[in-house]
């Protein structure tokens, strides 16, 4: 491509803000504008000179935008937006509802093939970078087991679940990998681990005035799917402490492939993320895959793709020659 | 491809033996034979029914072989063999002389393009998987530093250097990452580290009868390039201890990308390998890339490539649908 890659951001929450930041750290990509369903006048971007327009303004942007980065949620935004926008633009998203990836892929693929655009779905870190490590591990060490641990990190979905419990004024939830389970996996034991053995959950909760702590605790730890399958600790804190100590969005975790290549040879591959800002990291991954999507679109590779389909070199602003000389 | 991928092994040392083992763990690849410069009658393969033939027998194998896995050394074998064989077959190698990769790539690319074959060079783990992590880290976190640590592991090149010192009957060398340096990097300090600060070297040496230990130690620790830039410890052991405790070929190490996405957000990506058999692991990587090379050749993608050019999904025997459903 001759000039910089022109990028539009669709949706401006934590993820959209992170994309604005991440684009500013590149030298080959340019932000052409933020597109929002909200009143554009109510959106404050990090840099004051960013154009904020209603989603409908995308109509006339076909020539100005090489790729759109979709920053909506996986529950209701992306299942509609990604196929709809892929029928007019090359796009990337971080769709993360694992069980619904096949249907999302099919819908986006049909739209992108029909329109001759390129759509990369489910970037981010899980799905995304963690998926890549699961694939590399299994392909290289077919005899073995793969383990994914999440945390220590703040889970948005579980925090939301806590906040819906009657008597809870505010709260956050951390997912914590079991140290014992991790140690066994790292030692090459290839253990079979139950859900309860792999992770614990820790909740910091601010009570409503007059709420019964025992009832709140009981409601949380017995909540099906979210907390019942885990050993869950509930800690009651004051609103000030919650604001002071638990305002960030740290996360991370690891993928471990524990395999053997012969009787005597245990081989372990491990990938670990330690993130002080989960949304900013996800945004950074989105931006790297947006670069790949724009390049693939320009070279005529159309349809839906996932990180499994993207040659690593396409993520880097460096040329293939530079990459071979500097990083190989 | 209709049937299994048919693979030939060129060269049968530790790496070739590892490839034989790794192929046996796949269900979509078949070993058609070992090709050697030695007397085929002198080569003992792990499975007795493997055909061992002279290298010259490759002449008539164009129809029987989808891809050759080249298991020679980077110093003198691969610079000749890879281009020569790429002019007749699709090939993979683990060429690992970092400084000479550009010229190796150019020679192999010319041969492969001329012949319409596919050649994947510099697979393995460094170059190879570690290179991929350096690329992913830099592309996703452009603001940051990348650190590669090797070890604890047996270095073949440094062990050979010890054995050339007068007075040394036998010996091995371990490369050891500095715990302090690793801790500082993991903490997100982004330190500038000198060669001496990053790794130390530990040698286990068996002396010739009557050799002067002080002279041997001095000759080792002052050896330019190999040991002089490092803090090196030399331990003298008996031949029995060397054979008992130091017969394996463990290795590993890690690549850490320590970056920031905003003032408050330190982000760390880490990839770690802990290998009880370095050659068997490298062989396993070669086999996965051989699968990719055969598929790329079958779909008409010719020329030289590196792991940077290979979409991860091509390494797995699973279909794209399976990968999306099971691993994404």
């Amino acid at each position: 491509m001759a000039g910089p890659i022109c990028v539009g951001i669709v949706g401006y929450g934590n993820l959209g803000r992170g994309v604005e930041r991440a684009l500013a750290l590149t030298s080959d990509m340019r932000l052409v504008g933020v597109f929002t369903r909200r009143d554009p006048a109510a959106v404050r971007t990090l840099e004051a000179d960013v154009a904020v327009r209603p989603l409908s303004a995308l109509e006339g942007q076909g020539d100005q935008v090489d790729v759109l980065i979709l920053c909506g949620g996986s529950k209701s935004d992306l299942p509609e937006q990604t196929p709809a926008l892929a029928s007019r633009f090359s796009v990337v998203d971080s769709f993360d509802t694992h069980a619904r990836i096949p249907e999302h892929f099919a819908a986006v693929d049909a739209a992108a093939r029909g329109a001759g655009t390129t759509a990369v779905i489910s970037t981010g870190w899980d799905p995304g970078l963690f998926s890549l490590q699961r694939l590399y591990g299994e392909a290289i060490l077919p005899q073995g087991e793969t383990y994914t641990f999440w945390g220590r990190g703040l889970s948005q979905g579980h925090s939301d679940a806590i906040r819906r419990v009657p008597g809870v004024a505010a709260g956050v939830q951390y997912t914590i990998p079991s140290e014992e389970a991790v140690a066994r996996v790292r030692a090459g034991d290839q253990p079979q681990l139950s859900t309860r053995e792999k992770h614990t959950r820790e909740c910091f909760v601010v009570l409503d005035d007059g709420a019964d702590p025992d009832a709140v605790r009981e409601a949380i730890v017995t909540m099906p799917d979210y907390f019942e399958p885990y050993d869950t600790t509930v800690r009651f804190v004051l609103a000030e402490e919650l604001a002071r100590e638990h305002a960030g969005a740290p996360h991370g975790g690891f993928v471990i492939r524990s395999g053997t290549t012969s009787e005597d040879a245990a081989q372990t591959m491990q990938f670990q993320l330690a993130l002080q800002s989960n949304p900013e990291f996800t945004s950074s991954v989105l931006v790297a895959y947006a670069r790949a999507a724009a390049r693939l679109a320009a070279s005529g590779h159309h349809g839906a793709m996932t990180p499994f389909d993207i040659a690593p070199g396409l993520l880097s602003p460096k040329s293939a020659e530079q990459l071979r000389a500097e990083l190989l």
Side-chain angles (χ1 to χ4, degrees), chain A:
Chain A
M1 280 172 276
I5 296 169
C6 293
V7 180
I9 294 174
V10 176
Y12 198 80
N14 284 338
L15 215 50
R17 201 173 296 116
V19 169
E20 185 189 349
R21 267 190 215 283
L23 285 171
L25 297 179
T26 68
S27 51
D28 61 332
M29 303 177 83
R30 195 170 68 82
L31 176 59
V32 298
V34 166
F35 300 89
T36 177
R37 285 176 308 196
R38 289 186 276 163
D39 173 9
V43 172
R44 286 278 161 277
T45 53
L46 296 166
E47 293 294 327
D49 61 350
V50 172
V52 182
R53 303 201 185 91
L55 249 185
S56 58
L58 271 173
E59 212 52 61
Q61 295 286 313
D63 296 345
Q64 274 79 58
V65 172
D66 293 312
V67 57
L68 290 176
I69 300 182
L70 310 187
C71 298
S74 294
K75 199 163 179 188
S76 49
D77 299 332
L78 298 177
E80 288 191 15
Q81 282 182 355
T82 312
L85 291 170
S87 71
R88 292 182 289 150
F89 299 91
S90 288
V91 300
V92 292
D93 77 17
S94 59
F95 183 79
D96 67 0
T97 311
H98 290 263
R100 300 189 59 191
I101 285 173
E103 64 187 285
H104 187 60
F105 183 90
V108 176
D109 193 46
R113 282 185 194 278
T117 64
T118 304
V120 186
I121 67 160
S122 298
T123 74
W125 60 274
D126 197 354
L129 301 185
F130 273 21
S131 320
L132 290 177
Q133 299 298 326
R134 288 188 285 263
L135 189 158
Y136 282 120
E138 189 181 277
I140 291 164
L141 297 173
Q143 189 171 258
E145 291 286 339
T146 302
Y147 301 86
T148 302
F149 291 94
W150 297 275
R152 177 183 174 107
L154 188 134
S155 159
Q156 208 56 63
H158 286 78
S159 298
D160 290 345
I162 290 176
R163 292 190 282 257
R164 288 192 297 264
V165 170
V168 172
V172 298
Q173 191 265 188
Y174 295 95
T175 305
I176 305 167
S178 154
E179 281 181 33
E180 190 196 328
V182 173
R184 286 179 61 197
V185 169
R186 284 194 177 138
D189 286 356
Q190 299 190 23
Q192 294 296 320
L193 296 169
S194 68
T195 298
R196 195 176 293 275
E197 285 172 310
K198 283 184 72 184
H199 296 91
T200 58
R201 299 193 178 279
E202 187 175 23
C203 309
F204 292 85
V205 172
V206 179
L207 289 171
D208 281 329
D209 280 349
D212 174 6
D214 288 339
V216 166
R217 186 194 311 272
E218 187 64 14
I220 292 173
V221 303
T222 60
M223 198 185 298
D225 300 333
Y226 281 86
F227 293 102
E228 190 281 320
Y230 301 86
D231 290 334
T232 300
T233 309
V234 179
R235 301 185 196 286
F236 297 105
V237 296
L238 297 176
E240 299 76 50
E241 182 181 335
L242 192 80
R244 194 179 61 236
E245 306 285 342
H246 304 285
H251 218 311
F254 24 105
V255 176
I256 302 178
R257 180 67 176 180
S258 173
T260 50
T261 47
S262 64
E263 266 176 50
D264 298 332
Q267 317 271 26
T268 308
M269 302 166 67
Q270 186 182 153
F271 179 71
Q272 181 161 12
L273 292 174
L275 310 174
Q276 287 189 348
S277 168
N278 180 3
E280 286 183 16
F281 186 78
T282 300
S283 300
S284 301
V285 178
L286 275 164
V287 167
Y289 278 99
R291 176 182 289 122
R295 288 170 166 180
L296 287 163
S299 64
H301 292 81
H302 300 142
M305 301 179 199
T306 77
F308 294 156
D309 306 307
I310 309 289
L314 291 171
L315 303 175
S316 169
K318 293 183 175 174
S319 71
E321 292 73 22
Q322 257 187 305
L323 290 174
R324 286 194 293 271
E326 296 174 16
L327 295 185
L328 196 60

